[in-house]
């Protein structure tokens, strides 16, 4: 039986992602496709809007990046090029699409992300970093193709002003989405730093956990899946044994933030990441 959310797409679950430049590229796109394939009930499509198709596995439907004739904001933390996907059309896709960031890890079924809300709803993962602001998270969200055109028009009129006012694209989407937004259950989409890593001092003796409720784990702000798998809190942190890292921080050999902050920024390898984040 086809859910109402899927009626416009003929019962097909439509997954989309976006890639530009060289930060991610084929390894991330191909892993994401493999994770989707393992965790979704067919039929489904997987479309990547990208500026380069080299090295992308043939199962991925590649489309050119949608045109957006603006200068992207500078000195802003938001990932504003995602606004390209708010256009009236997205290739041949019709109806609901589920957007996924390239650097998330899928650990369980995606099927129910196509059952929450109705066919015309914009449904977002909850942003855990600002719980009192009730924001959505654009690492994973579902929307009908064309529904976000009004906010794309607003952004196009003055991109820098929008970015300066809202700072992050997810705040802009949440606050201005036509008809408002709904949210997926909070524990379906977890934030690695907030929901999985251990608090100090347990981070020195226990690896990051994977709660049983998780379906997707997101990795915002510089800590990528490979870092978690290796036991590094980001690219700049060296991979070290717990005692060696603790000593280096206490003696000042490693000091990126405050003493307590640096002590908290240690993680043991999260081997479960490697179980899921693979082709």
């Amino acid at each position: 039986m086809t859910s109402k959310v899927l009626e416009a797409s003929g019962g097909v679950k439509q997954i989309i992602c976006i890639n530009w430049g060289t930060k991610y590229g084929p390894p991330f796109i191909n892993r994401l496709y493999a994770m989707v394939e393992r965790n979704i009930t067919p039929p489904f499509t997987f479309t990547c809007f990208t500026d380069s198709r080299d090295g992308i596995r043939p199962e991925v439907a590649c489309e050119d990046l949608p045109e957006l004739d603006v200068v992207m904001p500078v000195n802003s933390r938001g990932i504003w090029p995602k606004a390209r996907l708010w256009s009236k059309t997205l290739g041949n896709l019709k109806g609901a699409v589920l957007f996924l960031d390239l650097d998330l890890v899928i650990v369980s079924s995606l099927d129910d992300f196509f059952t929450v809300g109705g066919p015309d709803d914009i449904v977002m993962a909850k942003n855990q970093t600002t719980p009192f602001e009730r924001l959505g998270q654009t690492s994973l969200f579902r929307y009908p193709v064309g529904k976000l055109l009004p906010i794309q028009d607003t952004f196009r009129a003055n991109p820098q002003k929008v970015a300066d006012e809202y700072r992050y694209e997810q705040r802009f989407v949440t606050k201005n989405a036509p008809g408002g937004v709904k949210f997926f259950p909070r524990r379906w989409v977890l934030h690695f730093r907030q929901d999985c890593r251990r608090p100090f001092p347990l981070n020195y003796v226990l690896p990051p956990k994977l709660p049983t409720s998780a379906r997707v784990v997101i990795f915002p702000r510089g800590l990528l899946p490979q870092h978690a798998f290796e036991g590094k809190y980001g690219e700049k942190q060296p991979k070290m044994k717990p005692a060696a890292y603790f000593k280096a921080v206490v003696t000042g050999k490693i000091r990126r933030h405050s003493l307590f902050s640096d002590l908290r920024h240690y993680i043991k390898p999260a081997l479960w990441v490697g179980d899921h984040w693979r082709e």
Side-chain angles (χ1 to χ4, degrees):
M1 180 178 176
T2 300
S3 75
K4 290 188 178 297
V5 172
L6 296 175
E7 284 181 354
S9 58
V12 177
K13 302 178 182 80
Q14 300 176 140
I15 307 293
I16 65 170
C17 64
I18 188 171
N19 175 73
W20 66 90
T22 59
K23 182 177 180 180
Y24 296 108
F28 284 80
I29 298 166
N30 294 339
R31 282 194 196 99
L32 183 60
Y33 175 86
M35 288 188 289
V36 169
E37 185 183 37
R38 289 193 295 269
N39 290 284
I40 202 166
T41 303
F44 76 97
T45 60
F46 184 103
T47 305
C48 181
F49 295 87
T50 179
D51 58 2
S52 174
R53 307 181 185 207
D54 294 342
I56 298 176
R57 56 192 293 172
E59 299 94 332
V60 175
C62 291
E63 296 274 0
D64 293 339
L65 288 174
E67 293 291 333
L68 189 60
D69 52 346
V70 301
V71 176
M72 288 295 165
V74 296
N75 300 322
S76 174
R77 291 186 176 184
I79 312 299
W80 293 98
K82 288 182 181 180
R84 291 177 177 272
L85 300 181
W86 305 343
S87 54
K88 183 177 181 180
T89 60
L90 286 176
N92 295 319
L93 301 176
K94 305 292 183 183
V97 293
L98 181 66
F99 173 83
L100 302 177
D101 265 352
L102 292 175
D103 58 355
L104 52 72
V105 175
I106 302 169
V107 300
S108 188
S109 176
L110 296 175
D111 289 348
D112 283 344
F113 287 102
F114 291 92
T115 64
V116 176
D120 198 45
D121 288 332
I122 298 164
V123 190
M124 308 181 75
K126 289 187 176 180
N127 188 319
Q128 292 91 295
T129 59
T130 57
F132 298 109
E133 198 175 356
R134 201 173 180 269
L135 289 182
Q137 171 63 256
T138 58
S139 292
L140 181 154
F141 75 119
R142 196 193 78 220
Y143 62 97
V145 173
K147 182 77 180 280
L148 295 179
L149 180 60
I151 66 170
Q152 188 188 63
D153 290 340
T154 300
F155 175 72
R156 183 189 288 113
N158 196 330
Q160 191 63 56
K161 178 182 177 182
V162 169
D164 290 343
E165 179 178 353
Y166 291 94
R167 297 190 66 202
Y168 296 96
E169 85 288 344
Q170 54 207 22
R171 179 177 285 114
F172 177 62
V173 173
T174 307
K175 301 293 187 182
N176 296 277
V181 302
K182 294 184 178 179
F183 295 99
F184 294 115
R186 158 72 175 89
R187 303 301 297 179
W188 284 8
V189 182
L190 301 185
H191 189 296
F192 179 80
R193 286 183 292 113
Q194 295 185 348
D195 297 312
C196 301
R197 71 178 178 126
R198 307 285 183 166
F200 177 81
L202 293 179
N203 57 321
Y204 287 85
V205 294
L206 295 174
K209 61 184 177 180
L210 176 60
T212 56
S213 65
R215 303 192 180 203
V216 173
V217 180
I218 61 175
F219 289 77
R221 300 176 72 176
L223 200 167
L224 297 175
Q226 68 262 32
H227 302 145
F229 176 71
E230 294 170 0
K232 297 169 54 179
Y233 198 90
E235 182 65 35
K236 295 181 180 180
Q237 181 175 301
K239 182 180 178 180
M240 301 174 69
K241 297 291 186 181
Y245 178 84
F246 185 91
K247 181 179 179 180
V249 171
V250 170
T251 59
K253 291 183 178 179
I254 292 178
R255 183 56 49 82
R256 295 178 59 197
H257 306 287
S258 68
L259 172 63
F260 182 63
S261 178
D262 286 335
L263 288 174
R264 289 172 55 242
H265 287 180
Y266 179 82
I267 55 172
K268 294 174 70 69
L271 299 182
W272 53 265
V273 171
D275 294 337
H276 300 281
W277 197 61
R278 57 181 173 82
E279 284 200 63

